[in-house]
Amino acid sequence: MELQEILDIFLTNDNFTILTHKSPDGDTLGSGFALCSFLRDMGKHANVLNSDQLPSRYAFLFEGYRPQEFEEKYVVAVDIADPNLIGSNLLQYQQQGAVDLCIDHHISNKNFADKTYVDGDASAAAMIIYEIIKLSGRPISDHIAKCLYTGVATDTGCFKYENTTPKTHIIAAELMAYNIDFANINREMFDVKSRGRMQVEQTVISRMKYYFEGRCSMIVLTKQLMAQCGVDQSEFDGLASIPLCVEGVDIGITVKERHTDYYKISVRTTDKLNAAEFCQQFGGGGHIRAAGCEIQGTLEQVEKQLLDGAAKLFEV
Amino acid sequence: MELQEILDIFLTNDNFTILTHKSPDGDTLGSGFALCSFLRDMGKHANVLNSDQLPSRYAFLFEGYRPQEFEEKYVVAVDIADPNLIGSNLLQYQQQGAVDLCIDHHISNKNFADKTYVDGDASAAAMIIYEIIKLSGRPISDHIAKCLYTGVATDTGCFKYENTTPKTHIIAAELMAYNIDFANINREMFDVKSRGRMQVEQTVISRMKYYFEGRCSMIVLTKQLMAQCGVDQSEFDGLASIPLCVEGVDIGITVKERHTDYYKISVRTTDKLNAAEFCQQFGGGGHIRAAGCEIQGTLEQVEKQLLDGAAKLFEV
């Protein structure tokens, strides 16, 4: 598919439903609401749907947004690699043939839509939406620019991660020509944390353990500890990067109790070790620097297995 | 001064000493070593000097660097706004007439050099160095690109802060065309912390206090607390941004004991409050979102004064 073909779809159809993925992030919401604004600005009807409640930290992306009433005629999924990610409250869209077009940047995309456009080189789905809108030659509103910048910035860790490309920076530069308070967006997206999250991070850092002369660090989240913190369960998401933030650590392991004697393990490594290889020892897998696995047993057994597995990495 | 004039200076002179500022950061070192490489690549003699020991986290900027022996003929200061920032181990360069050329991006530059080039719109001094090198038409080595990227990234909080401009992103895009492991650089610069620093942050977060329905937060660093942590004093630098990282907080205050009954106050605010105005109440000042002051008295008295001052901000 060419971008022009997608643009033609938007120009010649109407009554769009835009699907964004469950547990929404800045890229799916930024892409979805940018596309919705673009379509509405052209006089088309369009709504954005999500299976979950939209987190308030993204409220600036949908400020003033009101759902429109119309008979749905065209369904577009943005940033959704797998129909399961549409979520349990939008089951009807998970059926074969329910999605007309999917615009995505995950090469793992399951090709579940009638038409699929995947650009694996795009750092964010928002970059593809930007190119479509640019191709149209139509004006880009400040709101659209804000949505797209947020998508690009959040999916690249503010241009920090490996998936950032020269094009990512060029697009950021172009979006900054609009009236977007990017510094405030970045502060909200990257710096601000809830009090509960601050407390959780403080707790795990104070209990972090170090092994192999500080090259391996581990945090353990038992159900008991999580209950003691007295904060929302979601505050315990995305902690896996913390153990690797300590100077000298090459493998950071996060152990999270799922059920009694059943633990989910998240592993992050520097370029010196292979996280996927480590997790394969326990039937898991993933990427070179980020992988996971699940292990059954008592906490002591699980920790011992993980440390035995880590020992193999450090053997020469 | 035009950039061409600076380039001509580099082309027609030799035996350069490049001064970087004390307590060196990524921008002064990135700019300094990039300029040094540029000059040496042209067959010129050049050294980089710093008053302090260079922090090991910046080692990749001067890997393989060896001082050259030559009779110094031209002195260039980079990213140095004030002769005092040259540092106590390089006192001879603080004298009138000692510095031939200063290249800087601080509009507060004291004009202490014979010639001064200040571009207040440049997010980093490294952006100016990049433009000079580009103007020369000479090849940019991977090492030069790495140094310049580091300068630009570190001075903008990885393109997060207000001082980031479209040009900053364009230059980042251009530098990424070289073989620079920017993701690793960013990890080292922004994510990795020493164990001591992790402990310090954990300590201050656990002791953070909230006022005015959570809109004001305060951390207090007494000499006793800092001694208890048992870590290097430098680990207590740059903590002032932490109190403002809590959701809902509009003014974050950091109180640091200097001597008995003498406290240094750092204040950070969101766009809802004025930090400089707050600090002016206590004879201090600064920028709208980052300011400071000093207050004498017992800790209780100082805290009370600060909270009384904050109360005024929250009054309508």
Side-chain angles (χ1 to χ4, degrees):
Chain A
M1 267 190 111
E2 298 288 319
L3 286 177
Q4 182 63 50
E5 198 180 331
I6 303 180
L7 178 58
D8 289 342
I9 287 171
F10 291 140
L11 294 173
T12 55
N13 287 275
D14 200 351
N15 295 11
F16 295 90
T17 289
I18 300 164
L19 301 177
T20 49
H21 67 68
K22 69 179 181 181
S23 305
D25 61 12
D27 190 28
T28 200
L29 294 181
S31 299
F33 284 104
L35 179 57
C36 184
S37 282
F38 169 68
L39 293 168
R40 287 185 177 184
D41 288 351
M42 287 198 294
K44 308 271 182 183
H45 299 91
N47 282 333
V48 176
L49 293 190
N50 195 287
S51 182
D52 301 317
Q53 214 194 323
L54 301 187
S56 61
R57 59 196 296 258
Y58 298 118
F60 67 99
L61 298 176
F62 47 88
E63 239 176 347
Y65 169 85
R66 297 278 175 280
Q68 295 178 331
E69 297 226 352
F70 56 78
E71 195 191 330
E72 169 188 298
K73 287 189 188 151
Y74 202 92
V75 179
V76 190
V78 286
D79 198 35
I80 301 182
D82 186 311
N84 289 327
L85 297 174
I86 292 170
S88 54
N89 292 318
L90 297 171
L91 274 183
Q92 68 273 29
Y93 293 105
Q94 295 188 26
Q95 291 162 14
Q96 188 76 30
V99 178
D100 297 297
L101 171 66
C102 179
I103 301 171
D104 190 18
H105 69 123
H106 300 95
I107 47 167
S108 59
N109 189 289
K110 290 277 201 294
N111 252 303
F112 60 93
D114 281 355
K115 296 184 179 194
T116 302
Y117 181 88
V118 175
D119 178 359
D121 292 329
S123 317
M127 282 173 63
I128 309 171
I129 303 295
Y130 175 66
E131 292 192 87
I132 296 166
I133 296 178
K134 217 173 133 179
L135 188 64
S136 78
R138 293 189 57 85
I140 294 177
S141 67
D142 291 342
H143 178 252
I144 288 178
K146 196 185 284 190
C147 286
L148 295 175
Y149 179 90
T150 303
V152 173
T154 53
D155 253 28
T156 57
C158 212
F159 314 96
K160 197 165 64 178
Y161 301 143
E162 264 176 329
N163 65 342
T164 308
T165 65
K167 199 172 177 178
T168 321
H169 280 292
I170 301 283
I171 288 179
E174 290 178 12
L175 292 172
M176 281 172 72
Y178 299 90
N179 185 20
I180 61 172
D181 191 354
F182 69 92
N184 246 340
I185 292 174
N186 291 333
R187 192 184 108 78
E188 292 288 336
M189 296 294 106
F190 301 107
D191 291 344
V192 173
K193 295 171 185 172
S194 71
R195 275 202 228 184
R197 177 64 176 207
M198 295 288 263
Q199 195 198 322
V200 164
E201 292 190 5
Q202 178 238 313
T203 302
V204 299
I205 290 168
S206 68
R207 290 158 163 271
M208 185 137 52
K209 286 182 282 188
Y210 300 93
Y211 306 93
F212 303 105
E213 296 172 325
R215 291 191 61 196
C216 171
S217 61
M218 195 188 290
I219 59 180
V220 176
L221 298 161
T222 60
K223 278 186 171 287
Q224 195 194 356
L225 177 67
M226 292 190 275
Q228 274 171 5
C229 279
V231 302
D232 194 86
Q233 191 63 23
S234 66
E235 304 287 13
F236 292 92
D237 292 340
L239 293 171
S241 60
I242 292 181
L244 199 65
C245 287
V246 185
E247 195 177 18
V249 170
D250 284 317
I251 178 165
I253 304 174
T254 303
V255 180
K256 204 166 167 181
E257 184 179 2
R258 282 275 182 235
H259 321 289
T260 307
D261 293 344
Y262 188 87
Y263 293 85
K264 191 174 176 298
I265 321 293
S266 299
V267 176
R268 298 290 182 274
T269 54
T270 64
D271 53 356
K272 295 201 179 68
L273 295 175
N274 188 325
E277 216 170 77
F278 175 81
C279 290
Q280 279 157 15
Q281 299 181 71
F282 311 103
H287 304 282
I288 298 179
R289 297 197 187 174
C293 58
E294 294 172 340
I295 308 185
Q296 292 193 347
T298 65
L299 182 56
E300 289 68 29
Q301 290 167 338
V302 170
E303 285 182 319
K304 186 176 181 311
Q305 282 194 58
L306 288 168
L307 292 176
D308 288 348
K312 288 182 197 156
L313 298 187
F314 292 114
E315 280 167 12
V316 184
Chain B
M1 264 191 113
E2 298 289 318
L3 286 177
Q4 183 63 51
E5 198 180 333
I6 301 180
L7 177 59
D8 290 341
I9 287 171
F10 291 140
L11 294 173
T12 54
N13 287 276
D14 200 351
N15 297 10
F16 295 90
T17 289
I18 301 164
L19 301 177
T20 51
H21 66 69
K22 68 178 182 182
S23 306
D25 61 13
D27 190 28
T28 200
L29 294 181
S31 298
F33 284 103
L35 179 57
C36 185
S37 282
F38 169 69
L39 293 168
R40 288 185 177 185
D41 289 352
M42 286 198 293
K44 308 271 182 183
H45 298 92
N47 283 331
V48 176
L49 293 190
N50 196 287
S51 181
D52 300 318
Q53 213 194 325
L54 302 186
S56 60
R57 59 195 296 257
Y58 298 118
F60 66 100
L61 298 176
F62 47 87
E63 239 175 345
Y65 168 85
R66 297 278 174 281
Q68 295 179 332
E69 297 225 353
F70 56 79
E71 196 190 329
E72 168 187 298
K73 287 189 190 155
Y74 202 92
V75 179
V76 189
V78 286
D79 197 38
I80 301 181
D82 185 312
N84 289 326
L85 298 173
I86 293 171
S88 54
N89 292 316
L90 296 172
L91 274 183
Q92 70 272 29
Y93 294 105
Q94 295 187 28
Q95 291 162 14
Q96 187 78 27
V99 179
D100 297 298
L101 170 65
C102 179
I103 301 171
D104 190 20
H105 68 122
H106 300 95
I107 46 167
S108 59
N109 187 289
K110 291 276 202 294
N111 253 303
F112 60 94
D114 280 355
K115 295 182 178 198
T116 302
Y117 181 87
V118 175
D119 178 359
D121 292 330
S123 315
M127 283 173 63
I128 309 170
I129 303 294
Y130 175 66
E131 293 193 87
I132 295 166
I133 296 179
K134 217 173 130 179
L135 187 65
S136 77
R138 293 189 57 85
I140 294 178
S141 66
D142 291 342
H143 178 252
I144 288 177
K146 195 184 282 189
C147 287
L148 296 175
Y149 179 91
T150 303
V152 173
T154 53
D155 252 28
T156 58
C158 212
F159 314 98
K160 198 163 66 177
Y161 301 143
E162 263 176 328
N163 66 341
T164 308
T165 65
K167 198 171 177 181
T168 322
H169 280 291
I170 302 283
I171 288 179
E174 291 178 11
L175 292 172
M176 281 172 72
Y178 299 89
N179 185 21
I180 61 171
D181 191 353
F182 68 91
N184 246 341
I185 292 174
N186 290 333
R187 192 184 108 77
E188 292 288 337
M189 295 295 105
F190 300 108
D191 291 344
V192 173
K193 295 171 186 173
S194 72
R195 275 203 227 182
R197 178 62 177 210
M198 294 289 262
Q199 195 199 322
V200 164
E201 291 190 5
Q202 178 238 312
T203 301
V204 299
I205 290 167
S206 69
R207 291 160 163 270
M208 186 137 51
K209 287 182 280 187
Y210 300 93
Y211 306 93
F212 305 106
E213 296 171 325
R215 291 191 63 196
C216 171
S217 61
M218 195 190 291
I219 58 181
V220 176
L221 298 161
T222 60
K223 278 187 171 286
Q224 195 194 356
L225 177 68
M226 292 190 274
Q228 274 169 7
C229 281
V231 301
D232 194 87
Q233 192 63 22
S234 66
E235 304 288 13
F236 292 93
D237 292 341
L239 292 170
S241 60
I242 291 181
L244 199 66
C245 287
V246 185
E247 195 176 18
V249 169
D250 285 317
I251 179 167
I253 304 174
T254 302
V255 179
K256 203 166 169 181
E257 185 179 2
R258 283 275 182 234
H259 321 286
T260 306
D261 292 345
Y262 188 86
Y263 293 86
K264 191 177 178 298
I265 322 293
S266 299
V267 177
R268 299 289 182 272
T269 54
T270 64
D271 53 356
K272 296 198 180 69
L273 295 175
N274 188 325
E277 215 169 78
F278 174 82
C279 289
Q280 279 156 15
Q281 297 181 73
F282 310 103
H287 305 283
I288 298 178
R289 295 195 188 176
C293 59
E294 294 171 339
I295 308 185
Q296 293 193 345
T298 66
L299 182 56
E300 291 66 31
Q301 290 168 338
V302 171
E303 285 183 320
K304 186 175 183 311
Q305 281 194 60
L306 289 168
L307 292 175
D308 287 348
K312 286 180 198 158
L313 298 187
F314 293 114
E315 281 166 11
V316 185

